Amino acid sequence: MTQNASIQLARMAELGMLGELIRTQLPDVVHAGPSKDTLQRQLSYLIEDGCLITARHEGRYHGVVALDLLDGRVTACYLDPALADATTPRRLMQAAEKRALMFGLRKLECCVRAPALRFMRSIGFELAAAEAAASQAILVTKQLEENAPAWIKDVFALHGQLGIPDDYGARHRLVMVPDARNLDSIGFDVYDREQWLTPEAAKSWRKMHETAVRAGVELQVVSAFRSRKYQAGLIRGKLDKGQTINRILSVSAAPGFSEHHSGRALDLKCPGEPPVEESFARTRAYRWLKANARYFGFQETFPQSNRHGIIWEPWHWCFRPSHSQAS
Ligand SMILES: [Zn+2]
């Protein structure tokens, strides 16, 4: 008797169990040979990106799907025939498609063997090339864009208008962020513009700001919530001034991919310092944030040499309370 497993993104705590499962059942995931260290490293990358999706029930894995961002491909699937029910593969693949869309992938590919072809067709995949059907591993592909939620379609449209490369999210391992709907004012920034955060982030920001003041540190707001429309306007303005899109994207996030859309991110400065400059990292205010921000749920999300390949942004702090507690 099988139970409906829950579909979820794998967590770091599962690394050991998943490593064992994958080493024995899914050698395809391991590109670089069977070394245990290499496998653990590859798995932790996948988990960090939220690209390893499991079907799990009572501590047992009914199935696993891994998403390879750079190839835009489901790179490995595993199903336990004794545990998985008929809905598991469909639900796992739906989760993979949803996740791929969040990285801005417009289509998803998958290499399957002949017996799985009928199933893949039943969930909307098509043969990538006519002649491929004869070979052992068959490449199938599915367009994701047309069934995407409206806000994701909007992101794709903005990217089309601005000439942002299709692989922007996958290359930077960044997921799309919907615009926050519920926002509280946090007062005025250094340019006298009213700024907004989600109620939870705003409350925590006020506490952090007050605590810093008591420690003799003045934190000033440069920017907080920004909608994707606003972000697109920023980029359009720079394009109009003759900058290339690649140059712009080296300092500004593509619309739809900025943490500022979430209403949880803040750009900060301190008196006497220019806004959004790396020199902020040499200030007492930055050292105070490094030591204390985590107690208020704020994290420096683009530190030096970050895994997103985004420049060091010592001024950028994001409210992620669960992450701060975990680290
Ligand atoms: Zn920022």
Side-chain angles (χ1 to χ4, degrees), residues 119-146:
F119 164 70
M120 293 305 281
R121 280 189 154 138
S122 78
I123 58 168
F125 280 78
E126 291 164 8
L127 286 182
E131 76 275 15
S135 68
Q136 268 210 317
I138 307 161
L139 186 65
V140 291
T141 179
K142 181 174 179 176
Q143 300 299 324
L144 303 177
E145 201 173 339
E146 60 192 68

Side-chain angles (χ1 to χ4, degrees), residues 223-224 226 258-260 265-268 276 302 313 315-317:
S223 180
R226 296 201 294 264
S258 170
E259 281 186 343
H260 288 278
L266 273 170
D267 292 339
L268 298 171
V276 296
F302 297 109
E313 298 192 353
W315 59 84
H316 178 99
W317 292 79

Side-chain angles (χ1 to χ4, degrees), residues 199-263:
E200 207 192 356
K203 198 172 149 195
S204 209
W205 155 247
R206 281 186 210 105
K207 265 192 220 156
M208 181 162 83
H209 182 260
E210 280 164 28
T211 311
V213 168
R214 281 202 293 277
V217 170
E218 192 185 338
L219 298 171
Q220 300 171 304
V221 175
V222 176
S223 180
F225 169 74
R226 296 201 294 264
S227 68
R228 62 175 170 274
K229 205 173 154 195
Y230 183 91
Q231 190 78 7
L234 279 180
I235 290 178
R236 204 167 284 124
K238 291 182 181 186
L239 283 171
D240 289 347
K241 282 184 191 147
Q243 290 187 28
T244 64
I245 192 67
N246 285 337
R247 164 114 197 274
I248 298 166
L249 292 176
S250 70
V251 291
S252 303
F257 285 89
S258 170
E259 281 186 343
H260 288 278
H261 304 330
S262 71

Side-chain angles (χ1 to χ4, degrees), residues 17 58 84 88 100 113 130 161 216 223 269 277 287 313:
M17 272 193 304
E58 289 175 347
T88 307
R113 294 187 196 285
Q161 289 158 20
S223 180
K269 72 181 278 299
E277 288 288 340
R287 287 197 298 278
E313 298 192 353

